[in-house]
Amino acid sequence: MHLTTKSYSNCVENCPICGGVGFLSAGVTDIHDPEFGTMRECPNRRRKFWDSELGISYDEAQGLDWNAFTQTDGVVRMRKAYEKLLLRGKGWLYGHGQPGNGKTIMGKAFAIVCRQQRGWKTRYIKMSDMVNWLRTSYDEQAGQQVYAARLRELAGVKVLVVDEAGRDRSTDFSKQSISDIIDKRYMDGNITVWLSNFKPANAFEAYQVDRITDAMHTVLELKEPSARRTERSEREAKQWWIEL
C-alpha cells in the first residue's frame, strides 16, 4: 500500500481546460501562501484516470452511486452527514450500527465523491489493513523511520475513511498506532470518517474516545435493519460521479 497519488502527465484528448497537460497552476500569487507555486489536477483528468490508491476499484465504484441506493432512513441520515462534511471541507464523523445497514457503501460513495468530484486526496481503508500496513514498517530496515513516514502519509490525506473500526484493537501495537493516527489527524483540519459496528466506547480506548466524540465532531448511530440485498440500483454501470 502506498498513499501518494500517482502522477500522470496528460488528460483527456484536446482538453479545453488544461490543453492536455493534466494540471493547472493553483493561481496563487502570495509567496507566503502554502499553495504558492503548486499545481492542481485538471477536473477532466479524473475522467480518464482512476486513482488506484483510493482503495476502491473502478469497477466497484460504478455500482456505488449513492443516488441509486435504497433510500432508507439510515442512508438519508448518512448522506446528510457526508454533505455537511463536503460543505465544510473538514471534520470527523463516527458512524456505527449493526452490519448491513449501508455504512460501508455510503462511506465508499463518499470517498468517490471526494476524490472524483472534488479532487481531494482520499483513501478508503479497513482498520485492520491500516494497522497491518503500519505494523509491517518494522519488517524494513530503519523500521521506526518507515513507520513515521507511513504515519505522515496517513496524516497528509485530505479525506481518510476507515471502515470496520474496532476490529483490530487487541494488541499494544494496535492501540498505539491508532492513537498515533488519531493524534496526527485531530488538529489537521481535514476529514476523517470512522465506520464501525460498535459504539465508540466499545471500539476505542478511553483517550481515543475523547477525541472521536469531541463536540466538534459527529457521532451517528444507525439502528436500521439490514438492507444488504436492496442497497443498489439495477442501472447500467457508469461514471456516475461525473454526471452532475
Side-chain angles (χ1 to χ4, degrees):
M1 175 183 172
H2 184 63
L3 289 179
T4 302
T5 304
K6 295 179 180 178
S7 297
Y8 299 99
S9 59
N10 55 356
C11 189
V12 297
E13 187 175 358
N14 300 319
C15 175
I17 300 176
C18 70
V21 175
F23 293 87
L24 304 163
S25 169
V28 176
T29 58
D30 182 356
I31 61 174
H32 301 293
D33 191 299
E35 292 196 354
F36 179 78
T38 63
M39 302 292 286
R40 291 179 178 171
E41 183 182 40
C42 176
N44 279 338
R45 180 175 173 272
R46 297 192 292 276
R47 294 173 178 261
K48 183 173 183 180
F49 296 106
W50 184 257
D51 182 0
S52 61
E53 294 167 345
L54 173 61
I56 304 164
S57 72
Y58 174 77
D59 288 341
E60 181 184 12
Q62 292 181 84
L64 289 171
D65 180 357
W66 61 5
N67 295 307
F69 296 159
T70 302
Q71 298 298 297
T72 63
D73 181 63
V75 166
V76 171
R77 290 169 62 215
M78 282 187 280
R79 176 71 175 267
K80 289 180 178 178
Y82 284 133
E83 289 178 342
K84 181 179 178 180
L85 289 177
L86 288 169
L87 182 63
R88 295 181 63 204
K90 61 180 180 179
W92 286 24
L93 170 66
Y94 186 93
H96 68 96
Q98 63 179 297
N101 58 14
K103 297 186 302 296
T104 292
I105 59 169
M106 286 297 292
K108 287 182 175 181
F110 173 68
I112 293 164
V113 168
C114 289
R115 180 67 188 98
Q116 295 301 115
Q117 290 185 3
R118 298 301 178 92
W120 293 339
K121 188 175 181 181
T122 303
R123 297 296 175 261
Y124 166 88
I125 189 170
K126 294 180 180 179
M127 178 175 279
S128 58
D129 291 337
M130 182 173 66
V131 171
N132 287 336
W133 181 61
L134 291 171
R135 185 183 289 117
T136 58
S137 300
Y138 292 95
D139 294 339
E140 309 288 338
Q141 288 186 343
Q144 189 170 356
Q145 287 85 351
V146 175
Y147 177 85
R150 291 181 179 183
L151 195 62
R152 284 195 298 273
E153 289 193 40
L154 287 169
V157 175
K158 170 68 177 176
V159 181
L160 181 64
V161 180
V162 182
D163 203 355
E164 298 185 1
R167 292 285 296 273
D168 191 335
R169 61 188 293 256
S170 59
T171 67
D172 289 340
F173 180 86
S174 297
K175 295 173 185 177
Q176 183 58 54
S177 60
I178 293 167
S179 287
D180 289 342
I181 294 165
I182 289 173
D183 288 344
K184 285 286 187 182
R185 295 190 63 84
Y186 181 67
M187 297 299 292
D188 64 7
N190 289 328
I191 294 174
T192 306
V193 174
W194 306 91
L195 302 172
S196 179
N197 295 337
F198 312 106
K199 295 180 179 181
N202 296 329
F204 294 96
E205 301 301 302
Y207 164 76
Q208 300 165 347
V209 172
D210 285 343
R211 291 291 178 96
I212 289 172
T213 59
D214 187 289
M216 298 184 297
H217 306 148
T218 299
V219 176
L220 187 64
E221 182 176 9
L222 305 163
K223 299 181 179 180
E224 289 71 29
S226 174
R228 194 179 297 278
R229 293 300 171 189
T230 58
E231 62 199 16
R232 299 182 187 176
S233 134
E234 297 298 325
R235 294 184 194 176
E236 181 181 355
K238 59 182 179 180
Q239 290 183 321
W240 58 269
W241 50 86
I242 61 174
E243 298 180 3
L244 304 178

